[in-house]
Amino acid sequence: MTEQAQAGAQTDVVGGRVESRGRWRDFRRVFFGNRLALTGTAVMALFIFCALFAPIIAPYDPYEQDLTAKFAPPTSQHWLGQDELGRDILSRLIYGARVSLTAGLAAVAFATVVGTVIGVTAGYVGRWVDSVLMRLMDVILAFPTILLAIVIVTILGPSLTNAMLAVGIVNVPQLARVVRSAVITVRERDYVEAERALGAGNLQIVRTAILPNSLAPLIVQATLTLATAILDIAALSFLGLGARPPTPEWGAMLTDAFRSGFGVFVTGQHAIIFPGVAIALSVLSVNFIGDGLRDALDPRQRR
């Protein structure tokens, strides 16, 4: 190799490193400059901390009952009060973060994996395969997500696992369409044609060239889908199709409180307010993070 060629190769390597550092710097500038995204990250970090260390930070056993303190208001011993069975609401919310976030993440993980496979296959292969897969996704999108999830859970049987599966299934089409759109854009790029000219197989091209350059929109959509998944699982649990009593899940906590009778509106408002606030904060924080990622990964935001 001549000195000129060596100098050119070194320049390419250095240029690639500079470009990578520049992209990371632009990402940090845009994301950390978004106050709502930072607020959402802080709130979600708090929920994750509660989920990971629930046995340590929860002041009481979430299943411990005190029937003499039904709907007891907040006190210095029970900061958020007690529910219809005298259980500590704060402890149940802390343990509920573990259940609700895990269920939402599991549903989104399932939807992401299946949606990515369908989207890559449809976008890269094209032709009749694309038509068949996308028409199937259109059929699923034709139904309201929560109603379709209710139908699936009703068929499979009420349980938290089936609720996660149902929510994952109804969110597959959105992720599949995003991935397909990204793959169609990427598959005609010069570096993909270069790999194909060098004799790379389809799987290698997808693994090394297609997927890495399609991750940005997938990450944003998966993050926004997480907010929907948390809300849908809470709704299914509220309808009695998700977590079963006495599991401390936020939606199930609302159901248990409402089932106790009219007294919840007289003396037990806190039993429905605090779980509702937890659901709302988690959904809002994930949406803020998703919006921040969308802006930070947008090439138009770079200098």
Side-chain angles (χ1 to χ4, degrees):
M1 182 179 291
T2 63
E3 294 182 359
Q4 183 177 2
Q6 291 177 348
Q10 184 177 4
T11 301
D12 291 340
V13 173
V14 174
R17 292 175 180 174
V18 172
E19 183 179 1
S20 298
R21 289 197 296 268
R23 290 180 178 179
W24 172 241
R25 182 173 60 250
D26 290 340
F27 175 85
R28 288 184 300 175
R29 175 179 59 83
V30 176
F31 186 81
F32 290 104
N34 189 325
R35 294 184 178 180
L36 289 179
L38 291 181
T39 302
T41 302
V43 174
M44 185 51 57
L46 176 61
F47 282 131
I48 293 175
F49 177 81
C50 291
L52 292 176
F53 301 101
I56 299 176
I57 62 178
Y60 297 94
D61 184 341
Y63 302 101
E64 182 181 354
Q65 300 180 9
D66 183 4
L67 298 179
T68 62
K70 178 180 178 180
F71 288 136
T75 63
S76 58
Q77 289 77 29
H78 300 275
W79 291 357
L80 301 184
Q82 294 167 266
D83 64 8
E84 72 284 352
L85 296 178
R87 297 171 296 193
D88 183 66
I89 293 178
L90 176 59
S91 299
R92 291 183 64 78
L93 285 178
I94 293 174
Y95 275 88
R98 172 178 294 185
V99 178
S100 297
L101 295 183
T102 301
L105 288 171
V108 172
F110 174 84
T112 301
V113 172
V114 177
T116 300
V117 172
I118 294 175
V120 169
T121 303
Y124 186 74
V125 176
R127 299 187 296 276
W128 65 269
V129 176
D130 183 17
S131 298
V132 171
L133 291 176
M134 287 301 101
R135 296 301 75 76
L136 177 60
M137 297 298 101
D138 290 340
V139 170
I140 298 177
L141 285 173
F143 298 93
T145 56
I146 189 63
L147 292 181
L148 183 57
I150 291 173
V151 171
I152 295 174
V153 175
T154 302
I155 295 173
L156 298 178
S159 71
L160 184 59
T161 301
N162 291 338
M164 290 187 292
L165 180 61
V167 172
I169 291 174
V170 300
N171 284 294
V172 165
Q174 299 176 3
L175 291 162
R177 291 170 71 90
V178 169
V179 174
R180 171 184 175 271
S181 178
V183 170
I184 290 176
T185 302
V186 171
R187 72 181 181 185
E188 304 299 334
R189 297 290 176 85
D190 292 339
Y191 51 81
V192 176
E193 295 296 332
E195 288 209 16
R196 189 176 289 112
L198 292 173
N202 290 329
L203 289 178
Q204 181 178 351
I205 292 175
V206 169
R207 180 174 56 85
T208 60
I210 299 294
L211 276 180
N213 292 283
S214 303
L215 287 179
L218 176 61
I219 292 173
V220 174
Q221 185 61 42
T223 304
L224 295 174
T225 302
L226 176 59
T228 304
I230 293 174
L231 193 59
D232 288 346
I233 290 174
L236 290 175
S237 297
F238 177 74
L239 295 174
L241 299 175
R244 312 302 295 170
T247 304
E249 197 273 339
W250 294 337
M253 291 175 64
L254 290 174
T255 302
D256 294 340
F258 279 111
R259 284 178 177 174
S260 64
F262 187 75
V264 68
F265 298 103
V266 179
T267 59
Q269 299 94 334
H270 56 279
I272 56 178
I273 291 175
F274 293 122
V277 169
I279 295 172
L281 286 178
S282 63
V283 172
L284 282 175
S285 62
V286 173
N287 278 326
F288 290 157
I289 294 172
D291 290 340
L293 289 175
R294 181 185 57 198
D295 294 339
L297 294 173
D298 188 351
R300 292 172 296 182
Q301 298 290 340
R302 297 172 187 164
R303 286 179 291 183

